[in-house]
Amino acid sequence: MTEPTKNTSVLITGVGGQGILLAGELLLRVAANAGLDVKKSEIHGMAQRGGAVNAHVRFGERVYSPVIEQGTADVILSFEVVEPLRWAHMAHEKTVCLVNDQRIQSLTTATGMQTYPANVAEELSRLFGDRLHLVDAKKHAEDLGNVRTVNVILLGMLSKFMPFEEAAWQKAMEQRIPAKLLEINQKAFALGRSMVA
């Protein structure tokens, strides 16, 4: 493992039911297993109704707050394509943005109270440039045979930007994921890692 030189802040965002909280817990376990100080904060919102959900995970030698301050997120990991636009104020000039290219209509857009933003991919590209990694993780998860592995595919992508060996992620999955689902999630994780050069 390469020692981080400062605290690392990862914002994980999406909508309820996408496995955001599990992804945050796995990242927390990896960092804690490495002996780092790690803090996590979760906002569940209306998770059961497709509402916004996010998790802040921060780790390093000494972390005093679990909440990521504006302009300090090192990575934005988004399970839905429009969420990074909502959270762009959390990014700095080197923030990596990993995004599942999936539109999930909120209650307000589905009922016509609001309009789903147009040209989302173009706007994300403008904001993040070559630090944007936009993938159709849902399609890849379906190809694997389990659509619920979207979160672990994205976590595999995230792992390429984190200072931990692959074995540390495998250990965290073994600790947290039920045995009957471990193999499919290991495949999803490996697939996600393969998507990032």
Side-chain angles (χ1 to χ4, degrees):
M1 180 184 109
T2 305
E3 288 297 325
T5 57
K6 65 174 189 66
N7 289 343
T8 299
S9 299
V10 179
L11 173 64
I12 307 173
T13 185
V15 301
Q18 290 189 291
I20 293 155
L21 303 182
L22 173 62
E25 184 178 335
L26 288 170
L27 175 56
L28 180 146
R29 283 178 184 250
V30 170
N33 288 345
L36 297 175
D37 188 17
V38 58
K39 303 275 192 301
K40 180 173 71 136
S41 174
E42 301 169 350
I43 304 295
H44 295 246
M46 294 181 64
Q48 298 301 319
R49 298 181 182 168
V53 176
N54 65 76
H56 295 219
V57 181
R58 304 186 67 232
F59 61 85
E61 287 187 15
R62 191 74 179 127
V63 178
Y64 293 99
S65 170
V67 178
I68 300 170
E69 294 182 7
Q70 183 172 322
T72 65
D74 299 301
V75 179
I76 296 176
L77 176 64
S78 183
F79 291 27
E80 197 274 345
V81 71
V82 82
E83 288 298 311
L85 296 182
R86 293 188 183 133
W87 291 96
H89 63 282
M90 301 297 283
H92 55 72
E93 68 279 359
K94 294 182 180 177
T95 300
V96 172
C97 188
L98 309 171
V99 186
N100 176 26
D101 191 6
Q102 180 182 358
R103 288 182 173 222
I104 299 176
Q105 296 286 344
S106 67
L107 182 60
T108 55
T109 57
T111 58
M113 294 171 63
Q114 290 182 336
T115 304
Y116 198 95
N119 305 315
V120 174
E122 292 85 348
E123 184 63 13
L124 288 173
S125 182
R126 184 188 69 77
L127 288 170
F128 295 100
D130 62 1
R131 293 170 288 114
L132 173 67
H133 299 265
L134 185 65
V135 300
D136 189 346
K138 182 181 178 189
K139 169 72 166 59
H140 289 293
E142 289 171 344
D143 291 346
L144 277 178
N146 188 332
V147 72
R148 294 182 62 85
T149 60
V150 165
N151 59 341
V152 181
I153 290 173
L154 292 168
L155 206 61
M157 293 177 66
L158 174 68
S159 73
K160 296 296 286 260
F161 297 93
M162 297 288 99
F164 308 110
E165 300 292 341
E166 184 176 358
W169 295 90
Q170 297 294 339
K171 179 180 177 181
M173 285 191 287
E174 289 167 6
Q175 290 173 331
R176 178 58 179 82
I177 295 174
K180 65 181 180 179
L181 298 173
L182 185 58
E183 183 179 0
I184 188 69
N185 279 282
Q186 288 172 328
K187 289 178 180 177
F189 183 83
L191 178 59
R193 281 183 66 86
S194 74
M195 294 177 186
V196 179

